[in-house]
Amino acid sequence: MRRAVNDLLGAYDKLIMDPVHGAIPLYRHEVQVIDHPLFQRLRNICQNDILSLVFPGATHSRFLHSIGVMHVGTRMFRSMIDAYLRERQLSDQTDLSLSQLDAIDYLAKTIRLGCLLHDSGHSSFSHQFTQAQRIRDLMSRSGRFADLWEGVDYSAYHSAEPEELEHEHYSVRVAHDVLSAVDLESAGLYAQDVIGIMETTEVTPSDTFCRHARTFWGFIAGKDAEAESLISENIPRLVLHLLSSIVSGEIDADRADYMLRDGFHSSVTIGGFNLDHLLSNLRIGWDESEPWLGLAITQKGLGALEDFVYSRYQMYRKVYAHKTALGFDWLLREAINEVLEDPESFEWIDTCLSNMRYFAELTDNFFWEAFRKVARQRPESFSFCIVNRVKLNHLDTREDLSASGIASHSAWLAEAMDFNPAHVVTCSMRARFSNIQDNFNGIKVLIRDPVNRTRSLKKITDVSAFFSKFSDGTITHFYTRPDITNDPGPGISITG
């Protein structure tokens, strides 16, 4: 029966070769998604903004990351199903109905599309784009959301208009257009189910999803499904939550892929962890008394999970918060602001952010050309620094300073080095790890009693003290601009 599941989930149509995961198989409808212009644009958006100015190999794109996330998400789901079937074999409960196979297939394909499209709304330079002040102002414009969905009913995905748009909202908008252009009917899938497992959405699943969800619950809970009558209305929502946690959660396909991919392309080893070992110890956990359905991990897999969390922690500290990298991020944001000073560029970006017809043209390439134009006209500009890799001069690094502490240290550095305090630039990255304990309590540890053949679920922090060791940390780097003088010069505005 395990072979039947693998055969059912293995009828692929094409392979993409990936430097991190090897051969990644694709279904026909997934090829159609990838070939859509709104997805192809991800080829021209770098995964790590301009990290390649520090780690030259880090030129990989959102395009291949998205395909990698789909692959890892599939492996996560199939690994949990495979483990469950092995356990059923041991207890001689191996019969699996066609309806159960169909349900597993439907959920697996839904996960794959949700993972594939999860980052499809990223704009130029990924996260740094939306952190530039002029872009934030643009995306906060009143009526932006309505313009973005003009002529399209968004109520199936969003119950209300968000106050401020994030890239996740654009991912939903892109997914709607892409899935509308794909032959999902032949694949037996529904767009609202795929978009329902993406962030920011509130979706009523299709009747097909609800039917498969109840079948899946019966497959997972087995004889314990007698409690189904008590939670029948909740089952589709519980399964939707399980699928969402694979796309975006504390142990999710997104984090697993970007940590391996960023580490690989940056040629660092601190982001490494054993994905195979982690996946082999993931399980589907359920508790009909709460009710709860989600990810669980075996006791012997806790070490692999601890490696996963620690690797992520180290990647933030040693790669993403690298002093030179954060300095270039600051210069990048200011260079984006410079580009938007030009009325023609401002109008074009405004149009791209409001109309899916033009959104596909908002890529890194547009801004690189704009940076070169500004750099030719203004050699003292931030754009010139980006184009010519002129970095900020690093002065000092401090951790966990308050806003007043940062200001005080900036003033002290200026006084000690005898230059204008206005010339000090500060860049901070806050690594949000204090919520690890709370969020990982949503992932249960599966405790088995081999004698009584019983299983129980415990909070992860009740079993491992490791996850209680993390707290939020802020790394702040202090710089001056290149070739500092007493006068920042025309067009330069250095702020803290």
Side-chain angles (χ1 to χ4, degrees):
M1 194 56 68
R2 286 169 57 198
R3 181 172 180 177
V5 172
N6 287 333
D7 289 345
L8 184 65
L9 301 181
Y12 299 104
D13 296 284
K14 189 174 182 178
L15 287 177
I16 282 183
M17 301 307 298
D18 174 57
V20 175
H21 302 296
I24 296 179
L26 300 169
Y27 291 108
R28 184 174 291 105
H29 62 275
E30 293 163 353
V31 175
Q32 293 173 0
V33 168
I34 290 170
D35 285 343
H36 194 284
L38 284 171
F39 193 88
Q40 284 291 312
R41 66 181 285 275
L42 297 178
R43 289 181 182 272
N44 298 309
I45 296 176
C46 194
Q47 170 75 8
N48 296 123
D49 49 79
I50 53 172
L51 188 65
S52 61
L53 294 183
V54 183
F55 299 94
T59 57
H60 52 299
S61 67
R62 287 274 161 187
F63 176 84
L64 203 48
H65 164 65
S66 298
I67 296 172
V69 173
M70 178 193 69
H71 179 67
V72 174
T74 304
R75 289 192 61 195
M76 288 177 68
F77 186 69
R78 290 183 62 167
S79 179
M80 291 187 288
I81 296 296
D82 193 51
Y84 197 79
L85 289 172
R86 286 199 308 272
E87 293 161 6
R88 290 183 63 148
Q89 277 187 324
L90 292 176
S91 60
D92 297 324
Q93 298 175 0
T94 57
D95 290 338
L96 207 60
S97 68
L98 288 177
S99 63
Q100 289 174 329
L101 285 169
D102 197 27
I104 292 169
D105 182 59
Y106 187 89
L107 299 181
K109 288 177 178 174
T110 299
I111 289 171
R112 287 173 64 84
L113 284 178
C115 289
L116 187 61
L117 291 164
H118 83 287
D119 264 354
S120 57
H122 265 297
S123 295
S124 309
F125 302 113
S126 298
H127 294 286
Q128 294 305 318
F129 179 79
T130 54
Q131 292 184 32
Q133 186 57 52
R134 288 178 180 268
I135 296 295
R136 278 251 67 90
D137 294 343
L138 263 180
M139 293 181 69
S140 302
R141 175 178 63 77
S142 176
R144 171 78 61 193
F145 185 79
D147 289 345
L148 190 62
W149 286 93
E150 185 178 7
V152 182
D153 182 9
Y154 62 80
S155 61
Y157 313 130
H158 302 287
S159 60
E161 183 174 328
E163 293 183 5
E164 189 170 355
L165 291 181
E166 303 290 348
H167 77 268
E168 290 89 353
H169 295 106
Y170 279 88
S171 293
V172 172
R173 183 66 183 89
V174 168
H176 172 83
D177 270 19
V178 172
L179 295 176
S180 296
V182 170
D183 185 13
L184 282 186
E185 184 177 351
S186 295
L189 300 172
Y190 292 87
Q192 69 260 41
D193 299 336
V194 174
I195 295 175
I197 64 175
M198 296 170 64
E199 291 184 275
T200 75
T201 60
E202 299 175 38
V203 170
T204 300
S206 69
D207 292 340
T208 299
F209 183 95
C210 294
R211 172 168 53 85
H212 287 316
R214 292 189 174 92
T215 301
F216 182 73
W217 172 262
F219 162 69
I220 292 298
K223 65 179 181 180
D224 295 325
E226 296 170 0
E228 179 181 330
S229 60
L230 301 176
I231 63 168
S232 179
E233 294 302 315
N234 287 324
I235 288 174
R237 187 62 55 187
L238 291 172
V239 175
L240 201 68
H241 171 75
L242 170 68
L243 271 55
S244 298
S245 67
I246 293 174
V247 178
S248 180
E250 284 303 316
I251 311 177
D252 62 16
D254 180 33
R255 286 185 173 92
D257 182 81
Y258 79 61
M259 284 169 55
L260 292 175
R261 194 171 299 278
D262 293 354
F264 175 83
H265 286 284
S266 301
S267 299
V268 299
T269 58
I270 55 177
F273 63 95
N274 193 325
L275 179 62
D276 293 336
H277 185 39
L278 178 64
L279 296 186
S280 68
N281 285 285
L282 281 181
R283 298 293 185 270
I284 298 171
W286 76 92
D287 185 343
E288 64 274 8
S289 64
E290 290 193 28
W292 177 82
L293 180 70
L295 298 183
I297 192 161
T298 66
Q299 280 184 292
K300 70 176 183 178
L302 279 174
L305 181 58
E306 291 169 0
D307 285 345
F308 176 83
V309 174
Y310 187 67
S311 294
R312 180 178 157 216
Y313 177 77
Q314 287 290 78
M315 283 292 287
Y316 271 97
R317 293 183 60 85
K318 305 300 184 183
V319 177
Y320 307 134
H322 187 282
K323 66 180 186 299
T324 309
L326 280 193
F328 275 122
D329 284 346
W330 187 89
L331 286 168
L332 175 62
R333 294 192 295 271
E334 293 304 316
I336 291 173
N337 288 334
E338 283 179 341
V339 169
L340 268 73
E341 291 173 4
D342 173 51
E344 184 178 348
S345 295
F346 181 93
E347 183 179 352
W348 175 241
I349 294 168
D350 187 29
T351 299
C352 291
L353 288 172
S354 293
N355 193 323
M356 282 293 108
R357 276 186 64 191
Y358 306 107
F359 186 68
E361 300 188 36
L362 195 56
T363 65
D364 293 1
N365 296 342
F366 170 83
F367 277 95
W368 279 113
E369 290 305 314
F371 293 157
R372 293 184 182 99
K373 179 180 178 181
V374 174
R376 287 193 296 269
Q377 296 171 347
R378 294 162 53 188
E380 78 289 348
S381 64
F382 295 113
S383 295
F384 182 91
C385 294
I386 292 296
V387 170
N388 294 283
R389 199 188 178 276
V390 180
K391 61 184 179 180
L392 297 175
N393 298 313
H394 182 253
L395 299 175
D396 198 10
T397 297
R398 288 288 185 269
E399 295 193 23
D400 301 328
L401 292 180
S402 63
S404 60
I406 292 173
S408 297
H409 194 62
S410 295
W412 178 83
L413 284 171
E415 182 179 358
M417 297 184 178
D418 193 25
F419 54 72
N420 190 330
H423 292 157
V424 178
V425 176
T426 64
C427 301
S428 298
M429 174 172 280
R430 186 166 183 78
R432 297 177 178 86
F433 286 98
S434 64
N435 63 352
I436 280 182
Q437 180 171 342
D438 292 337
N439 286 349
F440 270 102
N441 272 335
I443 301 168
K444 311 294 186 183
V445 180
L446 182 62
I447 309 294
R448 293 189 176 279
D449 185 337
V451 177
N452 299 320
R453 291 191 176 185
T454 59
R455 51 187 282 162
S456 60
L457 294 166
K458 291 189 176 180
K459 287 183 177 182
I460 202 164
T461 46
D462 290 342
V463 179
S464 170
F466 176 84
F467 301 93
S468 303
K469 297 177 181 179
F470 293 92
S471 60
D472 282 0
T474 300
I475 298 175
T476 302
H477 300 300
F478 297 82
Y479 313 84
T480 62
R481 70 179 183 88
D483 301 321
I484 190 169
T485 65
N486 290 328
D487 179 9
I492 294 285
S493 176
I494 300 294
T495 58

